[in-house]
Amino acid sequence: MEEKLNEMLLKDEKVLWTGRPAPFKLMDLPSRRIILASWMISGGALVISLGLLIPFYIRTQRSFADTAVLVVLLAFLPLLVSLRPILDRRNLLKSTLYAVTNLRAVALIQDDAIYIPLSPKPETAVEAEPGGRGTLYLGAAAGIPPRRLLYTAVMGVRVEGTANPCVPGLLFFHVPDPEAAAKALS
C-alpha cells in the first residue's frame, strides 16, 4: 500500500501522516442495530423463500436444479445486504491506508485511491473513542449519519453518477490517534 501511495504522489507532494484502521468489532459500531436488522431480514427472507419453494418443488416435481436456481435468486439480494458490513470491515482492516499530504487527504482501499484536496482546507471533525482511537471526518463526511459509517469509510462521500476519485467527503475510520491526522491537516 505504501508503494501505491508513493507512486501516486504528485510533484512536490510530501506525506505528512499515514495510518491504518485499528481492529474493531461490527457489534461495537453505532450501526449495529441496522446490521442486526439486515441479518434478521435476510434470514427471514431465506426461510420464507425455502418455505414457499420446497412445497412448490414437491408439488410440481420440478428439477432440483430449477428450484436451486430460484432459491439462489431469491436469497442473492438479502445475502448481499447481509454480507456488506462484513466485507467492508475486512477491506478496511486488510487493505486500507490513510494518508495526509501537503496537498490532499488520501484513502487507499484495495489499491483504489480516493482523496480530498486540502485547498481550500476541508471542514474536519474528530470523534474520539476509548483507547485513543477515533474517526476523522473530512469535508462532506462531517455530516454523515452513523448508519452510513462503514459504507462511507470504504467508498467516501460520493456524488451520484460519477466515478471521480476526488470526493467531497472522506473519513479515516477507527484510526489510532486521529488528532495527529487532524493536526497534519493544519
Side-chain angles (χ1 to χ4, degrees):
M1 297 300 287
E2 285 81 2
E3 290 174 15
K4 173 82 173 170
L5 176 63
N6 288 331
E7 289 172 9
M8 67 174 287
L9 291 176
L10 304 171
K11 183 180 179 193
D12 298 327
E13 188 172 21
K14 295 176 182 86
V15 176
L16 306 174
W17 176 90
T18 61
R20 294 178 181 273
F24 63 94
K25 296 178 182 175
L26 285 176
M27 292 302 111
D28 291 342
L29 298 177
S31 59
R32 68 183 160 271
R33 286 186 177 152
I34 293 171
I35 293 169
L36 287 172
S38 74
W39 291 347
M40 289 190 299
I41 290 169
S42 297
L46 186 58
V47 167
I48 290 170
S49 299
L50 290 174
L52 293 174
L53 286 175
I54 289 174
F56 174 76
Y57 169 72
I58 292 169
R59 222 181 21 245
T60 61
Q61 297 183 359
R62 296 262 181 183
S63 72
F64 178 74
D66 290 345
T67 306
V69 167
L70 283 173
V71 169
V72 168
L73 289 175
L74 288 173
F76 184 71
L77 185 59
L79 183 63
L80 281 180
V81 170
S82 295
L83 289 178
R84 181 68 196 237
I86 295 167
L87 296 175
D88 286 346
R89 178 186 176 274
R90 194 197 80 181
N91 285 341
L92 286 172
L93 294 178
K94 299 264 188 226
S95 58
T96 298
L97 176 69
Y98 300 125
V100 175
T101 72
N102 57 328
L103 301 176
R104 54 193 171 161
V106 180
L108 284 170
I109 302 167
Q110 283 191 334
D111 292 332
D112 290 328
I114 53 177
Y115 62 88
I116 290 182
L118 297 182
S119 178
K121 186 177 183 237
E123 180 182 343
T124 61
V126 173
E127 182 181 332
E129 299 170 11
R133 295 179 183 99
T135 300
L136 174 63
Y137 299 85
L138 300 161
I144 64 160
R147 63 182 167 74
R148 306 262 305 158
L149 205 60
L150 267 183
Y151 175 78
T152 305
V154 173
M155 299 300 295
V157 175
R158 296 289 179 166
V159 176
E160 295 299 320
T162 65
N164 190 348
C166 179
V167 294
L170 187 63
L171 59 93
F172 293 172
F173 183 75
H174 201 66
V175 292
D177 195 14
E179 295 290 339
K183 217 180 273 184
L185 291 165
S186 304

